[in-house]
Amino acid sequence: MYKLILLLLMTPLLTLAQQVDDETRYLNSKNEVTTTKSEFKCIKNKDLSRERINCYDCENAQHQLVKQLSVNFQIPDVIKQGANPVYFGHTNHTEYLVGDLKSGKPYNGFFKEKRSGSEWVVYNYYQQGVLVQQWYNDLFNKILAEDHQEFSEVKLDAKNTFINGKLDTGIEIIPVDMKQQRAMAELIRTVKNTKTVLFRVLIFAENTGILLKVSPVAQGYLLEDFGRNSLKITFTPEGRKIETIAPEKKSGKVTEYSYYNFSDRNKIDKNRPYSYFQKNNKLYIEQAKSVQQEPKDHDRENSRMLQRLSLSLYDTTPLETADMIAFLQERNEVKNYMGHCELYEGKLEGFVYKPGDTEGTYTMELYSQGKPEPAKVSAKNKTLRELAAILKAQY
């Protein structure tokens, strides 16, 4: 009933908008939009037009495609700074953007970036054939703010800046197909002065959505799973500390871990759980400093995706875009984690590594109920790279 009432209230406005949209558009030599015949006739581009945005291909008198026109959005004045006002304007009904083509390619002004299946609206701004800015709708922050009103209209409220065609400050939106998980994701890389400063992830699956944020902090990382617990990881030369942070931002449990070189494996307490990881092509062991700090099963299930991501982070080496894409696509596989081992009811469970016959090689065995399981593939005298590939393919 509410939707019906809303539709009836909006009918006059919708009718007027539809009438305008169905008319042939024209641009004059000053890039002013008019409904009367002028220098450039603009024909609707159905491939680029979507929902509330209408895009038009504009021809000159010789029927050559020379301009692109886009209408039906709002643009704050602060976003317009630094762009030539010749290429944007407004009518009684909408704001619009214009782009000039040269030899069929974007040359000056604004051109819509085609993004199939995405709610992001991105416009590339060119100066003499060089990409210098992008204007876009800040979708991520709208979702976080639960600003449903903003979704009823398109508002280009953020921008990227480029230097020599390279992203200098802003965001890069990278679609990621998560076929194995039957989901789609968008990896959003935030850049400042050409450097990656954080990653955000939007994951869309049937009847669910996940929002992640991975940002560096002093000596570590903050991993946020919005609506659930987050993890703060900090590093020292001796190990790392993982702090659980509840959604209301109250500090929770803190677990401190110690690192051991593989050659010092006799120093660990083999009656307590420990993990293997690799760093700089060397094998290490990690163990909680005390029994009281060891994670329980329910801790591992809490923010599971971030728990898995934390297993890629054993030092402050920056995460790269390729690392994040691999993590999303490969069922949350991690690049540094090499397995876990513990005693369960007094019997050994998990992975056990032994020195190989040659330097830089290892033998890996998987134990179950205190006994080694038959190897699916040979894991004897292998390098860490080879063992990591075996773990990924077989376990």
Side-chain angles (χ1 to χ4, degrees):
M1 179 62 70
Y2 172 79
K3 290 184 178 180
L4 178 60
I5 294 172
L6 183 61
L7 180 61
L8 290 173
L9 289 173
M10 293 182 63
T11 296
L13 180 60
L14 292 173
T15 301
L16 176 60
Q18 187 63 44
Q19 288 173 348
V20 173
D21 289 342
D22 286 344
E23 293 177 359
T24 300
R25 299 293 181 105
Y26 291 92
L27 282 172
N28 62 24
S29 59
K30 296 180 180 180
N31 282 341
E32 295 171 336
V33 178
T34 175
T35 56
T36 59
K37 191 172 182 179
S38 192
E39 289 95 327
F40 305 103
K41 181 180 180 180
C42 301
I43 302 169
K44 190 172 182 179
N45 184 321
K46 294 182 179 179
D47 289 334
L48 289 179
S49 298
R50 184 170 58 86
E51 296 179 352
R52 295 165 295 279
I53 295 179
N54 289 320
C55 297
Y56 297 83
D57 297 325
C58 303
E59 301 176 344
N60 60 16
Q62 291 74 41
H63 302 291
Q64 296 170 323
L65 183 61
V66 293
K67 292 178 181 286
Q68 184 182 108
L69 168 67
S70 298
V71 301
N72 286 353
F73 32 63
Q74 296 183 13
I75 309 168
D77 289 340
V78 67
I79 300 299
K80 298 174 183 177
Q81 295 176 3
N84 190 336
V86 169
Y87 296 103
F88 56 82
H90 66 273
T91 68
N92 293 333
H93 307 288
T94 178
E95 293 193 78
Y96 64 87
L97 298 174
V98 178
D100 286 332
L101 294 153
K102 184 177 182 179
S103 301
K105 295 182 179 179
Y107 190 68
N108 279 321
F110 294 89
F111 295 84
K112 188 178 183 185
E113 186 175 285
K114 190 172 183 180
R115 305 188 65 85
S116 300
S118 175
E119 293 297 321
W120 294 90
V121 179
V122 180
Y123 274 83
N124 297 321
Y125 175 61
Y126 290 85
Q127 290 180 343
Q128 296 184 332
V130 177
L131 178 63
V132 295
Q133 287 185 9
Q134 286 178 326
W135 294 2
Y136 62 93
N137 61 330
D138 196 345
L139 181 64
F140 194 92
N141 286 332
K142 288 179 175 60
I143 294 173
L144 293 184
E146 298 183 352
D147 193 349
H148 304 297
Q149 178 63 30
E150 290 288 355
F151 287 98
S152 65
E153 57 192 20
V154 177
K155 189 174 184 180
L156 302 181
D157 54 359
K159 66 181 175 182
N160 300 326
T161 58
F162 291 75
I163 296 178
N164 298 324
K166 182 178 180 181
L167 181 61
D168 178 70
T169 299
I171 67 170
E172 179 187 16
I173 307 162
I174 306 164
V176 181
D177 191 345
M178 301 170 62
K179 291 182 179 179
Q180 292 182 335
Q181 296 90 328
R182 297 181 180 180
M184 281 293 299
E186 290 177 336
L187 176 62
I188 304 149
R189 182 174 72 102
T190 299
V191 177
K192 186 174 182 180
N193 298 327
T194 73
K195 304 295 184 182
T196 301
V197 296
L198 64 91
F199 289 103
R200 294 176 292 180
V201 181
L202 297 170
I203 300 176
F204 310 97
E206 187 175 359
N207 299 324
T208 188
I210 299 174
L211 283 74
L212 308 178
K213 183 178 178 182
V214 181
S215 51
V217 295
Q219 297 301 312
Y221 285 93
L222 178 62
L223 313 181
E224 298 176 78
D225 187 348
F226 291 96
R228 304 182 66 184
N229 285 355
S230 300
L231 297 177
K232 182 180 179 181
I233 305 174
T234 52
F235 306 97
T236 69
E238 294 76 31
R240 62 178 183 163
K241 179 172 69 175
I242 300 181
E243 178 183 0
T244 301
I245 303 173
E248 58 272 18
K249 302 300 181 183
K250 294 181 179 179
S251 180
K253 182 177 179 180
V254 176
T255 304
E256 294 188 71
Y257 294 90
S258 295
Y259 292 166
Y260 298 90
N261 292 316
F262 182 71
S263 58
D264 295 329
R265 59 193 177 278
N266 291 330
K267 294 181 180 180
I268 67 169
D269 183 351
K270 293 188 177 165
N271 292 313
R272 299 195 292 113
Y274 56 93
S275 299
Y276 298 93
F277 68 94
Q278 60 171 316
K279 183 175 69 171
N280 299 326
N281 204 32
K282 294 182 179 180
L283 189 62
Y284 294 86
I285 302 174
E286 179 183 70
Q287 187 172 55
K289 287 187 175 182
S290 67
V291 176
Q292 289 76 17
Q293 292 183 332
E294 290 171 1
K296 305 299 181 183
D297 288 340
H298 65 83
D299 292 325
R300 297 193 184 106
E301 291 300 321
N302 199 1
S303 299
R304 182 173 179 80
M305 179 171 281
L306 295 194
Q307 291 283 358
R308 295 292 294 168
L309 182 56
S310 73
L311 298 177
S312 282
L313 302 171
Y314 291 95
D315 59 25
T316 55
T317 302
L319 277 172
E320 302 292 342
T321 302
D323 299 328
M324 291 297 298
I325 292 175
F327 174 76
L328 293 170
Q329 287 185 328
E330 297 172 5
R331 291 188 178 274
N332 303 336
E333 293 294 336
V334 291
K335 65 174 183 175
N336 293 324
Y337 181 66
M338 298 294 290
H340 179 81
C341 190
E342 64 181 322
L343 291 177
Y344 180 72
E345 295 181 350
K347 296 181 180 179
L348 196 61
E349 294 281 342
F351 291 92
V352 173
Y353 287 79
K354 300 175 183 177
D357 293 337
T358 59
E359 186 177 354
T361 66
Y362 304 87
T363 293
M364 178 181 69
E365 293 180 307
L366 176 62
Y367 276 72
S368 178
Q369 296 184 357
K371 298 179 181 179
E373 293 210 340
K376 298 179 181 179
V377 294
S378 175
K380 185 176 182 180
N381 298 325
K382 302 291 185 181
T383 65
L384 289 177
R385 183 184 295 271
E386 291 170 329
L387 291 172
I390 293 171
L391 282 169
K392 177 180 176 181
Q394 303 296 328
Y395 301 104

